[in-house]
Amino acid sequence: MRWRRPGRRAADPGVVAPVLDELAGQAVAGAHRAIARLITLVEDERADVNAEVAAALTPHAGRARVIGLTGPPGVGKSTTTSALITALRAAGHRVGVLAIDPSSPFSGGALLGDRIRMTEHAVDDGVFIRSMATRGQLGGLAVATPQAVRVLDAAGFDVVLVETVGVGQSEVDVVRLADTTVVLLAPGMGDGIQAAKAGVLEIADVFVVNKADRDGAEVTVRDLEQMIAMSRRGIRGPSWRQPVVRTVAADGSGITDMLGALDRHASWLLDTGELERRRARRAAEEIQAIALRGLRAELGRLSGGDRLEELAREVAVGRTDSYAAAARLVDLLKRA
Amino acid sequence: MRWRRPGRRAADPGVVAPVLDELAGQAVAGAHRAIARLITLVEDERADVNAEVAAALTPHAGRARVIGLTGPPGVGKSTTTSALITALRAAGHRVGVLAIDPSSPFSGGALLGDRIRMTEHAVDDGVFIRSMATRGQLGGLAVATPQAVRVLDAAGFDVVLVETVGVGQSEVDVVRLADTTVVLLAPGMGDGIQAAKAGVLEIADVFVVNKADRDGAEVTVRDLEQMIAMSRRGIRGPSWRQPVVRTVAADGSGITDMLGALDRHASWLLDTGELERRRARRAAEEIQAIALRGLRAELGRLSGGDRLEELAREVAVGRTDSYAAAARLVDLLKRA
């Protein structure tokens, strides 16, 4: 495994298609260095490079199970991810992990410490772990994450885990687009969980109550079960009922149950045709995010000259308003 | 003061310009009900409504001091905001407050409790407090916040406080666009602050170390002072040196000092011409955000038909890739 902080190496300005094809070929063959390099290129968000990478890798992608993991801070996401990796490896799967860094300037500290625990997989060639830090603004994560998943998928990892710290909506949106989304909770988190129930129920396919040996675990499980039962009123016919799994990730308890729940969900996805629907939905959201990103870049180029500055000054002194100014910018873009 | 949770009342579908003009007139005259109604309309993000509101209010705006307040959870932001409101009122200022809700599904709980403490200002007609919750995705906050600030500004509030819980980049981006940005910290937050230093230094005009009666407060203050001194190496000529103010907001200690620091920053902004530059920059970012939002809506309308679904299915089965599909969408938009 190669564990690397993002952003160390910027994309070469002179990257050209033949080099990308070579890198893509090496990544598809499973070379960790090529995989790492491709993800760095992807993070750099150059549209032309990303288009080449997608074109080269899409024919090799679509085979991996994509599992999203999220939950509030303090529930033990990194420990659970690490235990899950161990279990998946024991079952013979190659595992790629994307750890989405929070974009808040206030939450940079804790994460690094958490990540370091994952070094237990550092000598395992069947595991590739990568932190991704994009600013998460205006769709950055929405574009970079599916592309990074595509790199790992095309590189032949059987399972791609996408873990987020779950602090912001954009991070949650990212895991929501997995084939299977796991929401981790822990006992004793009080009102936060109560308030979060509606939102959490929407995105979860599997609930995991970690630290299940602690006081209050049964209350958390019962609350979740009640919430799930309530949400299912009025549903007819077969549908997925979200299981609630108890784990103590620190000593590995319950991880086999978690793996079982994930496998049952994978079978359900296949059997019902839901997998295809989810992947089409994921593709639709990705296409829109890419298109928007491109339009944003065009807008930035248009605005790069004096035109935006001039409009902004007019707004600042009240000579025009910002909506009228924006309409003029959009007109310029369409005429360009 | 009227304190209302957002989203209770959706925008009337049949709102037309004459009604908006009337509402705008009432808001400019300071009627709380009209102000609340306008902010609800603004949150609803209908581009046509927002354009009308901006056109009606811009001539009346630009007089308020806009102060942003942010900091990690647990530093006492609501208590500090509340104490600051009291001090500003005592100085004869009318105060509008926008409390930006976090967009994470995991952090809905604590906020409401914090807010309720602010009801001490509930009977004061010179205070208007409003929570805003937008999903924060793809520039939602970037569009709604400046417009809501415009409503309060045009309504004649001398000071508009924009408070965020500071969990996500988009929230931080929002306060960064204030005339003056206050970053609150508290002692004993450990590595988080260390890691956050670089990002925090960039956005802060004034640092407040709240809970300054606790152990470790002097260490936090000294760390901040050192960081500020380091960042100023190589700077020539006069520039703003970020003050570090100690407060115990719960008993009001230090709030006069905080107010003093804010006043000094306000004078500095005026004297140096920085106020004008900041407001032009804020206008530029708002214009871009509005333009992008409009393009996104157009993309959504284009995608509403079968076209996007069709493209997404082709991507999901690997017949084309998402970047090629996005390019086709953008072409459609420009030709529309």
Side-chain angles (χ1 to χ4, degrees):
Chain A
M1 197 215 76
R2 215 153 261 119
W3 186 86
R4 178 180 290 169
R5 292 293 299 167
R8 284 269 174 76
R9 188 190 300 197
D12 303 359
V15 171
V16 284
V19 176
L20 281 178
D21 280 346
E22 206 183 303
L23 266 181
Q26 291 166 353
V28 168
H32 280 202
R33 184 184 291 257
I35 297 166
R37 183 113 191 270
L38 273 179
I39 296 181
T40 301
L41 285 172
V42 160
E43 277 186 316
D44 207 52
E45 297 188 18
R46 270 184 52 184
D48 53 344
V49 171
N50 267 304
E52 294 284 347
V53 171
L57 296 183
T58 297
H60 304 280
R63 281 184 286 260
R65 281 167 63 186
V66 183
I67 300 175
L69 254 132
T70 191
V75 295
K77 275 187 299 298
S78 286
T79 315
T80 309
T81 302
S82 190
L84 184 60
I85 293 169
T86 304
L88 286 165
R89 290 297 293 142
H93 300 300
R94 296 181 65 223
V95 186
V97 182
L98 285 180
I100 309 292
D101 274 12
S103 50
S104 165
F106 295 117
S107 44
L111 195 69
L112 186 57
D114 284 351
R115 291 281 167 277
I116 282 165
R117 273 187 267 157
M118 287 221 198
T119 49
E120 66 184 272
H121 303 288
V123 294
D124 181 352
D125 205 55
V127 178
F128 182 98
I129 301 180
R130 171 68 177 242
S131 289
M132 282 193 39
T134 80
R135 289 189 71 225
Q137 198 196 11
L138 294 167
L141 280 177
V143 169
T145 311
Q147 180 83 319
V149 168
R150 182 169 295 123
V151 172
L152 295 174
D153 182 350
F157 290 102
D158 305 294
V159 177
V160 176
L161 296 177
V162 181
E163 185 209 316
T164 77
V165 299
V167 287
Q169 185 62 46
S170 53
E171 283 83 10
V172 171
D173 284 344
V174 163
V175 282
R176 190 175 53 82
L177 291 177
D179 297 331
T180 301
T181 298
V182 179
V183 171
L184 264 94
L185 296 169
M189 306 201 55
D191 294 341
I193 292 175
Q194 303 296 325
K197 275 183 177 177
V200 162
L201 192 67
E202 255 173 56
I203 62 170
D205 297 305
V206 172
F207 284 104
V208 173
V209 176
N210 192 31
K211 306 182 182 179
D213 54 346
R214 296 213 181 157
D215 283 351
E218 285 317 303
V219 176
T220 303
V221 170
R222 201 177 55 225
D223 282 357
L224 280 171
E225 295 280 15
Q226 275 178 5
M227 174 182 88
I228 292 163
M230 294 249 297
S231 75
R232 292 178 59 78
R233 276 189 201 160
I235 293 180
R236 285 156 194 248
S239 74
W240 178 252
R241 186 191 173 101
Q242 298 143 312
V244 181
V245 180
R246 294 167 181 81
T247 58
V248 184
D251 69 10
S253 311
I255 298 296
T256 310
D257 295 344
M258 183 181 175
L259 205 57
L262 291 173
D263 285 343
R264 281 194 299 283
H265 190 252
S267 302
W268 178 82
L269 286 172
L270 276 171
D271 294 348
T272 58
E274 176 67 13
L275 184 65
E276 220 172 293
R277 280 191 293 277
R278 286 196 181 193
R279 290 191 169 184
R281 200 171 61 206
R282 192 158 79 209
E285 297 210 20
E286 189 192 7
I287 293 167
Q288 283 194 297
I290 295 164
L292 197 65
R293 196 93 186 151
L295 289 169
R296 191 186 170 216
E298 282 191 54
L299 215 53
R301 280 191 293 272
L302 270 177
S303 310
D306 301 335
R307 198 74 194 99
L308 178 67
E309 262 184 46
E310 196 183 298
L311 286 169
R313 265 195 306 268
E314 284 181 37
V315 171
V317 299
R319 201 151 44 225
T320 185
D321 69 78
S322 36
Y323 286 77
R328 280 199 261 162
L329 256 196
V330 170
D331 273 351
L332 282 172
L333 178 133
K334 290 197 171 176
R335 267 187 247 143
Chain B
M1 199 215 71
R2 213 151 263 118
W3 186 86
R4 177 179 290 167
R5 292 293 299 165
R8 284 268 175 76
R9 187 191 300 197
D12 304 357
V15 172
V16 283
V19 177
L20 281 178
D21 280 346
E22 205 182 305
L23 266 181
Q26 290 165 353
V28 168
H32 280 202
R33 185 183 290 258
I35 297 167
R37 184 114 191 271
L38 273 181
I39 295 180
T40 301
L41 286 172
V42 160
E43 277 187 316
D44 207 52
E45 298 190 17
R46 271 184 51 184
D48 53 344
V49 171
N50 267 303
E52 295 283 349
V53 172
L57 296 184
T58 297
H60 303 281
R63 280 184 285 259
R65 278 167 65 184
V66 183
I67 299 174
L69 254 132
T70 191
V75 295
K77 274 186 299 296
S78 287
T79 315
T80 309
T81 302
S82 191
L84 185 61
I85 294 169
T86 305
L88 286 165
R89 291 296 293 140
H93 299 301
R94 297 181 64 225
V95 186
V97 182
L98 285 179
I100 309 294
D101 275 11
S103 49
S104 164
F106 294 117
S107 44
L111 197 68
L112 186 57
D114 283 349
R115 289 284 167 275
I116 284 165
R117 274 186 265 156
M118 288 222 201
T119 49
E120 66 184 271
H121 303 288
V123 293
D124 181 353
D125 205 57
V127 178
F128 182 98
I129 301 180
R130 170 69 176 243
S131 287
M132 284 194 39
T134 78
R135 289 188 72 229
Q137 199 195 11
L138 294 169
L141 279 178
V143 170
T145 309
Q147 181 83 318
V149 168
R150 183 170 293 123
V151 173
L152 295 174
D153 183 351
F157 290 102
D158 306 294
V159 176
V160 176
L161 296 177
V162 182
E163 186 207 315
T164 77
V165 299
V167 286
Q169 185 62 47
S170 53
E171 284 83 8
V172 172
D173 284 344
V174 164
V175 283
R176 191 174 53 81
L177 291 177
D179 297 332
T180 301
T181 299
V182 179
V183 171
L184 263 92
L185 297 168
M189 308 200 56
D191 294 341
I193 293 177
Q194 302 297 325
K197 277 183 178 179
V200 162
L201 192 66
E202 257 173 54
I203 62 170
D205 296 307
V206 173
F207 285 104
V208 173
V209 175
N210 192 31
K211 306 183 182 178
D213 53 346
R214 296 211 181 158
D215 283 349
E218 286 316 304
V219 175
T220 303
V221 170
R222 201 178 52 226
D223 282 359
L224 280 171
E225 295 280 15
Q226 275 178 3
M227 176 181 87
I228 292 163
M230 294 247 299
S231 75
R232 292 178 58 80
R233 274 189 204 161
I235 291 180
R236 284 159 196 247
S239 75
W240 179 251
R241 185 191 174 102
Q242 299 144 313
V244 181
V245 180
R246 295 166 181 80
T247 58
V248 183
D251 68 12
S253 312
I255 297 298
T256 308
D257 294 344
M258 184 181 175
L259 206 55
L262 292 173
D263 285 342
R264 279 193 300 282
H265 191 253
S267 302
W268 178 82
L269 286 172
L270 276 172
D271 294 347
T272 57
E274 177 66 14
L275 184 66
E276 219 173 291
R277 279 190 294 276
R278 284 197 182 192
R279 291 190 168 183
R281 201 170 63 207
R282 190 159 81 211
E285 297 209 20
E286 189 192 8
I287 294 167
Q288 283 194 297
I290 295 164
L292 197 65
R293 198 93 187 152
L295 289 169
R296 189 184 171 215
E298 282 191 53
L299 215 53
R301 282 192 292 274
L302 270 177
S303 310
D306 301 335
R307 199 71 195 100
L308 179 67
E309 264 183 46
E310 197 182 297
L311 286 169
R313 266 196 305 271
E314 284 181 38
V315 170
V317 299
R319 204 156 36 230
T320 184
D321 69 78
S322 36
Y323 285 78
R328 279 200 261 164
L329 256 195
V330 170
D331 272 351
L332 283 172
L333 177 134
K334 290 197 171 177
R335 265 187 249 143

